[in-house]
Coordinates of all heavy atoms in Angstrom, one line a residue:
P449 N -24.7 18.9 -35.1 CA -25.7 18.7 -34.1 C -26.1 17.2 -34.0 O -25.8 16.4 -35.0 CB -26.8 19.6 -34.6 CG -26.6 19.8 -36.0 CD -25.1 19.7 -36.2
S450 N -26.9 16.9 -33.2 CA -27.3 15.4 -33.0 C -28.3 15.1 -34.2 O -29.1 16.0 -34.7 CB -28.0 15.4 -31.7 OG -28.8 14.1 -31.7
D451 N -28.4 13.8 -34.6 CA -29.2 13.4 -35.7 C -30.6 13.1 -35.3 O -31.4 12.8 -36.1 CB -28.5 12.1 -36.3 CG -27.2 12.4 -37.0 OD1 -27.1 13.5 -37.5 OD2 -26.4 11.5 -37.0
G452 N -30.7 12.9 -34.0 CA -32.1 12.6 -33.4 C -33.1 13.6 -33.6 O -32.8 14.9 -33.3
P453 N -34.4 13.4 -34.0 CA -35.4 14.4 -34.2 C -35.9 14.9 -33.0 O -36.4 16.1 -32.9 CB -36.4 13.6 -35.0 CG -36.1 12.2 -34.6 CD -34.7 12.1 -34.4
N454 N -35.8 14.3 -31.7 CA -36.3 14.8 -30.5 C -35.4 15.6 -29.8 O -35.6 15.8 -28.6 CB -36.8 13.5 -29.8 CG -37.9 12.8 -30.6 OD1 -38.7 13.3 -31.2 ND2 -37.8 11.5 -30.3
F455 N -34.2 15.8 -30.2 CA -33.1 16.5 -29.4 C -32.7 17.8 -30.1 O -32.5 17.9 -31.3 CB -31.9 15.7 -29.3 CG -32.2 14.3 -28.5 CD1 -32.0 13.2 -29.2 CD2 -32.6 14.2 -27.2 CE1 -32.3 12.0 -28.7 CE2 -32.8 13.1 -26.6 CZ -32.7 11.9 -27.3
L456 N -32.9 18.8 -29.2 CA -32.4 20.2 -29.6 C -31.4 20.7 -28.8 O -31.7 21.1 -27.6 CB -33.6 21.3 -29.7 CG -34.8 20.8 -30.7 CD1 -36.0 21.8 -30.4 CD2 -34.2 21.0 -32.1
G457 N -30.2 20.7 -29.2 CA -29.0 21.1 -28.3 C -27.7 20.6 -28.8 O -27.6 19.9 -29.7
Q458 N -26.5 21.2 -28.2 CA -25.2 20.9 -28.7 C -25.0 19.4 -28.3 O -25.2 19.0 -27.2 CB -24.3 21.8 -28.0 CG -22.8 21.6 -28.2 CD -22.5 21.7 -29.8 OE1 -23.1 22.8 -30.4 NE2 -21.7 20.8 -30.3
T459 N -24.3 18.8 -29.1 CA -23.9 17.4 -29.0 C -22.4 17.3 -28.5 O -21.6 18.0 -29.1 CB -24.0 16.6 -30.4 OG1 -25.4 16.8 -30.8 CG2 -23.8 15.1 -30.1
Y460 N -22.1 16.4 -27.6 CA -20.8 16.1 -27.1 C -20.6 14.6 -27.1 O -21.5 13.8 -27.3 CB -20.7 16.6 -25.6 CG -21.0 18.0 -25.5 CD1 -22.1 18.7 -25.4 CD2 -19.7 19.0 -25.3 CE1 -22.3 20.1 -25.2 CE2 -19.9 20.4 -25.3 CZ -21.1 20.8 -25.2 OH -21.4 22.2 -25.1
Y461 N -19.3 14.3 -27.0 CA -18.9 12.9 -27.1 C -17.8 12.6 -26.1 O -17.0 13.5 -25.8 CB -18.5 12.3 -28.4 CG -17.4 13.0 -29.0 CD1 -16.1 12.6 -28.9 CD2 -17.6 14.2 -29.9 CE1 -15.0 13.2 -29.5 CE2 -16.4 14.8 -30.4 CZ -15.2 14.3 -30.2 OH -14.1 15.0 -30.8
V462 N -17.7 11.5 -25.6 CA -16.6 11.0 -24.7 C -16.1 9.7 -25.2 O -16.8 8.8 -25.5 CB -17.0 10.8 -23.2 CG1 -15.9 10.1 -22.4 CG2 -17.6 12.0 -22.7
D463 N -14.7 9.6 -25.5 CA -14.0 8.5 -25.9 C -12.9 8.1 -25.1 O -12.1 8.9 -24.6 CB -13.5 8.8 -27.5 CG -14.7 8.9 -28.5 OD1 -15.4 8.0 -28.4 OD2 -14.6 9.8 -29.1

Side-chain angles (χ1 to χ4, degrees):
S450 170
D451 296 332
N454 298 327
F455 300 110
L456 298 175
Q458 178 64 41
T459 303
Y460 295 84
Y461 61 89
V462 173
D463 286 312

